[in-house]
Amino acid sequence: MKEKIIEKSAEMFLNLGFKSVTMDDLAQEMGISKKTIYSHFKNKTELVHETVMSVFHEITCGIDHIREQSKDPIEELFEIKKFAMVHLKYEKSSPQYQLQKYYPEIYAAVTEKKFENMNECTVANLERGVATGVYRSNIDVPFISRIYFLCLSGLSDESYFPTDRFPKIKTMADFLEYHLRGIVTAKGAKKLDTVLNQQEDA
């Protein structure tokens, strides 16, 4: 039952927001009593924490699976973006904003984990891109990796990127192209154009 509660919580939190969903809402949606929820989680903060870490683990495992396929570095980034957008449901709410505002300690903990994981992933992607000739050999890998992380995190800030003006899916796609245009070689630019054309046709 605990796993089912976490699964439903993740769905509701990501669709409606961490603050918006109450324990009553969750109990009603699942057709169970609040007492059942509280038998597994002492309060909503604990539920949010376990749900956030569960979603983080699921996304990390999914990204690791994509990386294991050893795709072209450019294709890999597009596959990761697609996977993350589907699982985080960015179009329906701003879960990161609500998490940061109402559960700052949980937000800080998961952000640290996200940076560690994403930095390792991005550095590996950049180094492989340089080795295969699709990224420029003179790029500063640690600098670009950190800039990439900060920019992706910033895109979720509603105060700078309100969804009514900057739809999440388009904004993420625009940023990924912006990122790649700054580091690709001529060979990489051709590959990027091919991938973008395939995205448009899909």
Side-chain angles (χ1 to χ4, degrees):
M1 176 57 73
K2 183 175 183 178
E3 289 73 21
K4 290 182 179 179
I5 294 172
I6 290 175
E7 183 179 348
K8 177 56 70 171
S9 296
E11 178 187 328
M12 294 183 72
F13 287 149
L14 292 176
N15 277 304
L16 303 171
F18 289 97
K19 178 66 173 177
S20 305
V21 177
T22 66
M23 298 297 250
D24 284 314
D25 294 332
L26 179 60
Q28 183 176 353
E29 183 70 19
M30 294 189 70
I32 60 177
S33 67
K34 279 201 299 182
K35 184 178 179 180
T36 300
I37 299 175
Y38 283 117
S39 69
H40 296 284
F41 307 94
K42 63 182 180 182
N43 52 41
K44 184 181 177 183
T45 299
E46 184 176 283
L47 173 61
V48 169
H49 179 268
E50 292 207 31
T51 301
V52 167
M53 292 307 171
S54 175
V55 171
F56 173 78
H57 177 71
E58 181 181 354
I59 292 175
T60 299
C61 289
I63 291 174
D64 287 344
H65 177 69
I66 293 171
R67 294 176 63 194
E68 288 168 2
Q69 298 175 31
S70 299
K71 293 178 177 287
D72 169 90
I74 294 173
E75 291 180 341
E76 180 179 270
L77 288 183
F78 277 91
E79 283 295 314
I80 290 174
K81 175 189 71 74
K82 180 180 177 182
F83 172 81
M85 292 301 291
V86 168
H87 280 71
L88 291 176
K89 302 176 177 64
Y90 271 124
E91 279 296 329
K92 297 182 180 179
S93 69
S94 297
Q96 180 173 300
Y97 173 76
Q98 286 203 5
L99 187 66
Q100 182 178 11
K101 183 174 181 179
Y102 298 107
Y103 301 93
E105 292 184 0
I106 298 174
Y107 173 81
V110 76
T111 297
E112 182 178 353
K113 287 181 175 293
K114 279 171 60 180
F115 174 72
E116 292 173 359
N117 181 268
M118 189 171 163
N119 188 57
E120 189 274 329
C121 175
T122 306
V123 166
N125 179 275
L126 291 168
E127 291 177 343
R128 193 152 55 88
V130 171
T132 55
V134 294
Y135 300 157
R136 290 184 288 107
S137 61
N138 63 340
I139 62 174
D140 185 330
V141 170
F143 171 76
I144 291 175
S145 176
R146 284 162 171 76
I147 288 293
Y148 186 67
F149 175 80
L150 288 173
C151 288
L152 277 179
S153 299
L155 291 180
S156 299
D157 192 327
E158 284 278 311
S159 60
Y160 295 109
F161 295 98
T163 53
D164 58 334
R165 291 182 56 199
F166 301 95
K168 295 298 183 186
I169 291 178
K170 183 179 186 303
T171 300
M172 292 291 286
D174 289 346
F175 169 69
L176 183 54
E177 181 180 358
Y178 172 84
H179 164 71
L180 287 168
R181 291 287 182 199
I183 63 174
V184 292
T185 59
K187 175 184 175 182
K190 290 181 180 179
K191 180 65 181 181
L192 175 58
D193 288 337
T194 298
V195 173
L196 289 172
N197 288 333
Q198 291 172 345
Q199 298 279 315
E200 292 178 359
D201 294 338

